Amino acid sequence: MRRIAIVGAGIGGLTAAIALTRGDVECVVVEQRPALGVDEGTGIQISPNAGAELLDLGVSLDSAVPAGHRELRRWQDDRVLGHTDLSRYAVPYLTMPRGALIGSLRKAAGRTRVILGRRCVAVRDDGTSVVLGFDDGTAGRFDAVVGADGLRSVVRGLTGSHTPRHSGLVAGRAVLPRRAASRFVETDRVVVWLGPGRHCVTYPISRDHVNLVVVGPSFVFDGWHPSVRGLIALAGPMRPRPLYDLPPLPFWQHGRVVLIGDAAHPILPFIAQGAAQAVEDAVTLAGCRDLADLQALREERIRKVYAMSRAGLRVHHLPDGAEQRIRDRALAAARPDAHDWLYGHRVAASLRRSSDTSSTRDERPSF
Ligand SMILES: Cc1cc2nc3c(=O)[nH]c(=O)nc-3n(C[C@H](O)[C@H](O)[C@H](O)COP(=O)(O)OP(=O)(O)OC[C@H]3O[C@@H](n4cnc5c(N)ncnc54)[C@H](O)[C@@H]3O)c2cc1C
């Protein structure tokens, strides 16, 4: 049986462990943090493209709540600019606490060994296997390595030198009591207020709580609608987290090492797809015969998602004026199926399409 190390027990790494161990593979997950789910108190949106894959893998999403639709609103007067029906997909658009999702993934990973508190500091592919070095002075030899170690990936160093790009923005996140938040916003849906240089998002994450995310150069929202300011006041001080991205790497794979999720393509959180794409990567990887196939199968879609997230940096934050009015008209006129390419995607279908054009993919994975 082949032994694969997965560096990073985030959403991508744990999903990869579940998907890969369905085949003839033994996975060991190595995580630098001392415990899973630390600093995972806030929420996450799990769009149907990711939710469908997780449910297929047997990951329980029972503690998630469905968000039936999403509204884009104007910063100053709370006017609804656009509306997306999120209930048109086979699996609901779900939202939940991140820690609860990590807990469900860990449970679904079953007997997979997850080593906590060990940071990978070195990666060497010697042609027959990969040697990982850890910060406690230990080392391990594996048949292949999956780098799922996020934005500041150490494993990425093997594919070249790539430094994430700072967007000039920071994000603040908070969990608010639902009853208090409902004084300012309907709490059964995703609401995004768009305004000059900033935006603000709320969505439910449980029966009793909603998640708040604010993005901008700072958390000063002077002049914004009282609902937005009320929610920010309710949150109290938020820790600013700088937002980075990186154009998808030219090479996601080097010998017996492959990258998934934010390690390969960190994207800005403007369309809430970073974790969803990490899930898609992980499930696709388990269906690949060679590590090199992952990039070939995923690159086109990732580039599209990356470009859409990058565009959000400008389009979500337009100052009032002619361009903003054109955007608002486009939002009001958006077709109901505008997001089907994103939320309706299934990995199995993309693997089937690719095997129709390849003579090798029916064989078992060889990595
Ligand atoms: C404000 C904000 C809101 C977001 N909201 C959403 C959303 O609603 N929906 C969505 O789909 N995406 C969202 N995202 C994006 C999403 O959080 C990331 O894309 C996703 O977490 C990436 O998953 P990953 O497993 O690739 O990496 P990570 O989640 O970063 O996990 C990497 C793991 O590797 C570990 N690690 C790192 N280096 C090492 C090492 N050297 N050795 C061992 N372990 C290591 C880390 O401790 C971590 O546990 C949001 C992002 C931000 C910033």
Side-chain angles (χ1 to χ4, degrees):
M1 186 188 271
R2 284 149 300 146
R3 274 186 90 226
I4 296 186
I6 298 171
V7 182
I11 293 166
L14 289 172
T15 307
I18 301 163
L20 285 166
T21 46
R22 286 182 145 193
D24 180 26
V25 170
E26 182 200 342
C27 288
V28 179
V29 186
V30 189
E31 166 60 45
Q32 65 183 0
R33 295 186 195 177
L36 287 182
V38 177
D39 189 32
E40 301 280 2
T42 57
I44 187 144
Q45 303 175 56
I46 309 163
S47 50
N49 49 315
E53 303 300 340
L54 292 172
L55 290 171
D56 269 6
L57 290 177
V59 178
S60 167
L61 299 176
D62 288 351
S63 59
V65 290
H69 65 281
R70 177 173 53 225
E71 285 172 1
L72 301 180
R73 297 187 184 182
R74 185 170 153 72
W75 66 284
Q76 208 174 24
D77 57 12
D78 204 27
R79 187 158 46 88
V80 176
L81 302 171
H83 172 276
T84 307
D85 175 11
L86 300 170
S87 67
R88 53 185 274 119
Y89 304 98
V91 167
Y93 192 103
L94 297 168
T95 52
M96 69 193 294
R98 276 178 183 253
L101 176 58
I102 292 285
S104 289
L105 289 165
R106 177 63 189 101
K107 202 164 170 200
R111 292 151 71 103
T112 299
R113 199 164 154 228
V114 179
I115 303 171
L116 297 171
R118 194 175 289 178
R119 177 172 162 74
C120 172
V121 291
V123 187
R124 185 166 52 83
D125 185 340
D126 65 13
T128 52
S129 55
V130 192
V131 180
L132 293 183
F134 301 106
D135 58 349
D136 58 2
T138 59
R141 187 176 285 278
F142 302 92
D143 296 313
V145 165
V146 178
D149 49 346
L151 177 70
R152 302 280 171 201
S153 172
V154 167
V155 180
R156 184 163 64 219
L158 206 65
T159 68
S161 163
H162 309 278
T163 311
R165 181 168 51 168
H166 183 28
S167 62
L169 302 175
V170 290
R173 298 186 286 186
V175 173
L176 309 178
R178 196 158 170 171
R179 186 191 282 260
S182 66
R183 294 207 308 270
F184 305 109
V185 65
E186 298 80 352
T187 58
D188 60 343
R189 63 197 72 170
V190 182
V191 177
V192 187
W193 287 270
L194 307 180
R198 292 168 161 74
H199 74 274
C200 173
V201 186
T202 57
Y203 53 84
I205 52 169
S206 68
R207 212 184 50 178
D208 297 326
H209 293 99
V210 301
N211 198 56
L212 172 76
V213 182
V214 290
V215 173
S218 71
F219 301 151
V220 178
F221 279 67
D222 289 352
W224 283 56
H225 190 266
S227 293
V228 176
R229 287 187 285 119
L231 289 163
I232 293 173
L234 198 58
M238 289 179 273
R239 188 164 61 89
R241 172 185 167 149
L243 295 179
Y244 293 86
D245 73 358
L246 184 63
L249 299 181
F251 303 106
W252 302 14
Q253 171 259 344
H254 180 93
R256 295 164 178 270
V257 177
V258 71
L259 302 171
I260 64 168
D262 275 11
H265 44 71
I267 57 180
L268 294 170
F270 283 89
I271 57 168
Q273 276 297 306
Q277 295 306 313
V279 166
E280 288 186 15
D281 282 352
V283 177
T284 306
L285 179 64
C288 289
R289 175 169 154 68
D290 295 317
L291 295 181
D293 291 345
L294 180 71
Q295 181 173 357
L297 284 161
R298 297 281 301 146
E299 192 166 17
E300 190 183 334
R301 180 165 167 84
I302 289 293
R303 285 194 180 280
K304 201 167 165 184
V305 172
Y306 173 82
M308 198 171 164
S309 306
R310 258 270 134 188
L313 189 60
R314 209 176 70 79
V315 176
H316 275 41
H317 291 180
L318 286 172
D320 283 353
E323 222 184 331
Q324 161 263 327
R325 287 192 292 277
I326 293 169
R327 176 201 67 191
D328 292 354
R329 277 199 294 277
L331 290 176
R335 291 165 50 117
D337 62 358
H339 290 88
D340 286 6
W341 69 272
L342 185 58
Y343 300 150
H345 179 272
R346 290 306 315 267
V347 167
S350 70
L351 287 168
R352 264 197 309 277
R353 274 195 303 276
S354 115
S355 72
D356 289 346
T357 55
S358 156
S359 57
T360 57
R361 292 223 170 75
D362 293 335
E363 299 167 37
R364 291 152 65 88
S366 63
F367 53 85

